[in-house]
Amino acid sequence: METVENTAENQPIKPLKCLFYLPKAAKIKIPASTEKVETFHLFYGADVDDETLNFKFLMPAVEEAKNEDYDIILGFDKSLNRIIIGYKNTEGRFQAFNAHQQAALISDHLIQQVIWDRPFGESGMMIIKSVILSDQLDGIATKNGVPVKTTHSGFDNLMGGVKANMEAVEKIIAFDDRNTVILNPDADKNSQSIFDMWMALLSDLAEKEKSMLDRHIDLQVKYRLYLEKTFQITRDTSIKKIFDKFRTKPPVDDLADELVLISDYKKQTFHNKLTGRKGTLELEARNMVQIEYSSGLKLTVELEEGETQMSIHLSKYTNFAFKPKYAEIRKGLHDSLLKTVVILGKM
């Protein structure tokens, strides 16, 4: 009798159990289960606020996932063009990636697919990203020979960037800091393209016996560990003076950091403080200023319409290569950003 050795190669793949969290009104074909990905769904009603896709939005799906022992969640807003990924941390508890992290995961997955098929040629791809979105996307793109162009946030702005560059490349993917994901220039087919990408990504993870957190940490090792935070200042009266202070006298001494670049989207100009180079910005005027420092810290300050609310986006990175130290190094970066928030709050 012939025997078969019990090796990893001939063991059945343990499928990942994915929960799709969708609006009841969604008119879309939900992917069926495969041998690598088991799919389930949970619908939410019209009364659910989907303006901000964060852990709070995802909580009903998280409770469902805990009860049914699902591995991962993909939530959609009502437009089906904005997504949020819920994943399990090292303790088996659900967390949610932010827009920056999920954009990095998706873009690297799609780029690696193309490079695998065409290792000696041009990728034929382009990334469109919002100004505020993490520079990690730039790192991923640069390392893989993929050009990047920027737009302001929002589906229409991203789609405008996609359509303006369609003839230059074979495939364009677009992301912003509001969780928007565009994988198909046909808006009616975009959500289905997101599903297709997602099933391929999970299939790859299942085959390699990796979790979504594993993939995320691998990216941080490969392209630097990035961390982003956003906080808002709200007043009953105008806070334009605070915004103008960031534009005209950006914080330097308090941060003990060297100022490198100021991009003023209100004036549509930039000034490199190291080289002295000045120039104009191509994007339309907006009440936003971006300030970059030698340490890798980047502040993006955005005055909202009505001038009573201002958003401050912070981004910073650090290098690391020893994966078991991920949690410790991430906490150090997190504490550094919190310290920056405290300093800015005293300005």
Side-chain angles (χ1 to χ4, degrees):
M1 178 183 293
E2 185 178 348
T3 60
V4 178
E5 185 180 355
N6 187 18
T7 62
E9 286 77 8
N10 55 46
Q11 288 296 303
I13 293 172
K14 180 184 178 183
L16 289 173
K17 298 174 69 174
C18 175
L19 176 65
F20 293 114
Y21 188 47
L22 301 154
K24 284 182 180 177
K27 295 180 180 179
I28 191 168
K29 184 179 180 181
I30 300 173
S33 295
T34 68
E35 63 177 8
K36 298 177 184 178
V37 185
E38 293 183 14
T39 61
F40 307 86
H41 58 268
L42 176 68
F43 294 108
Y44 63 85
D47 59 326
V48 171
D49 183 5
D50 66 342
E51 177 63 28
T52 303
L53 295 190
N54 54 18
F55 190 78
K56 182 179 178 181
F57 165 80
L58 215 55
M59 280 182 66
V62 168
E63 291 303 313
E64 178 81 5
K66 287 192 296 186
N67 293 335
E68 300 295 335
D69 195 30
Y70 298 141
D71 297 300
I72 199 156
I73 305 166
L74 181 64
F76 283 80
D77 79 332
K78 291 164 191 169
S79 76
L80 300 178
N81 293 316
R82 297 168 59 231
I83 67 171
I84 179 169
I85 299 170
Y87 68 97
K88 285 183 177 178
N89 62 19
T90 54
E91 298 173 348
R93 297 177 181 174
F94 274 96
Q95 293 181 219
F97 287 129
N98 60 36
H100 310 273
Q101 294 166 333
Q102 68 182 26
L105 283 163
I106 295 169
S107 59
D108 183 69
H109 165 71
L110 293 174
I111 288 171
Q112 296 310 320
Q113 283 188 321
V114 171
I115 290 175
W116 180 263
D117 293 335
R118 300 164 61 176
F120 304 109
E122 293 290 332
S123 69
M125 289 186 68
M126 177 182 288
I127 292 178
I128 306 290
K129 54 165 276 194
S130 65
V131 171
I132 300 171
L133 203 63
S134 175
D135 286 346
Q136 187 165 67
L137 261 74
D138 300 79
I140 291 170
T142 299
K143 195 163 186 175
N144 293 289
V146 176
V148 178
K149 290 186 179 292
T150 58
T151 69
H152 286 306
S153 302
F155 180 85
D156 291 341
N157 288 319
L158 288 182
M159 188 59 85
V162 168
K163 292 185 175 180
N165 292 279
M166 282 177 58
E167 294 183 4
V169 292
E170 297 171 30
K171 182 175 180 61
I172 301 181
I173 54 178
F175 310 90
D176 73 7
D177 50 288
R178 298 174 185 172
N179 295 71
T180 308
V181 175
I182 297 178
L183 305 182
N184 194 316
D186 185 337
D188 294 332
K189 297 179 180 178
N190 186 54
S191 54
Q192 203 65 57
S193 294
I194 293 174
F195 272 130
D196 294 342
M197 172 279 303
W198 184 247
M199 293 296 285
L201 174 54
L202 291 190
S203 296
D204 183 56
L205 291 179
E207 190 170 324
K208 294 175 180 175
E209 297 185 339
K210 285 197 170 189
S211 69
M212 190 61 74
L213 180 58
D214 292 330
R215 178 65 62 87
H216 170 67
I217 295 175
D218 287 344
L219 278 181
Q220 310 314 308
V221 173
K222 189 175 182 180
Y223 300 109
R224 290 175 170 170
L225 170 58
Y226 275 81
L227 198 61
E228 289 81 17
K229 286 192 173 297
T230 297
F231 66 99
Q232 275 88 29
I233 300 174
T234 303
R235 300 267 179 90
D236 292 333
T237 57
S238 174
I239 53 176
K240 183 175 178 296
K241 286 184 178 180
I242 301 177
F243 170 70
D244 286 337
K245 186 176 181 181
F246 275 98
R247 293 177 57 236
T248 57
K249 295 181 180 179
V252 179
D253 295 336
D254 292 337
L255 296 178
D257 207 348
E258 185 177 8
L259 182 61
V260 174
L261 181 68
I262 303 175
S263 300
D264 189 332
Y265 289 89
K266 185 174 182 179
K267 288 186 175 180
Q268 296 175 292
T269 60
F270 71 85
H271 182 193
N272 188 315
K273 291 288 188 176
L274 294 184
T275 65
R277 182 169 175 258
K278 298 180 180 180
T280 58
L281 298 167
E282 295 181 359
L283 299 185
E284 65 183 36
R286 183 163 294 193
N287 283 332
M288 184 168 69
V289 60
Q290 198 165 75
I291 309 160
E292 300 180 41
Y293 297 88
S294 57
S295 67
L297 174 67
K298 181 166 71 174
L299 304 178
T300 307
V301 186
E302 189 175 18
L303 184 64
E304 308 292 344
E305 189 176 348
E307 299 185 355
T308 59
Q309 180 172 303
M310 186 171 71
S311 298
I312 301 181
H313 312 273
L314 299 92
S315 177
K316 200 171 185 180
Y317 64 82
T318 188
N319 295 304
F320 90 106
F322 187 50
K323 290 174 68 172
K325 288 282 188 180
Y326 168 76
E328 178 183 332
I329 295 174
R330 187 184 185 282
K331 184 181 183 304
L333 193 55
H334 173 271
D335 292 346
S336 173
L337 286 181
L338 286 184
K339 183 179 178 181
T340 302
V341 171
V342 172
I343 292 171
L344 295 177
K346 294 178 180 179
M347 285 179 56

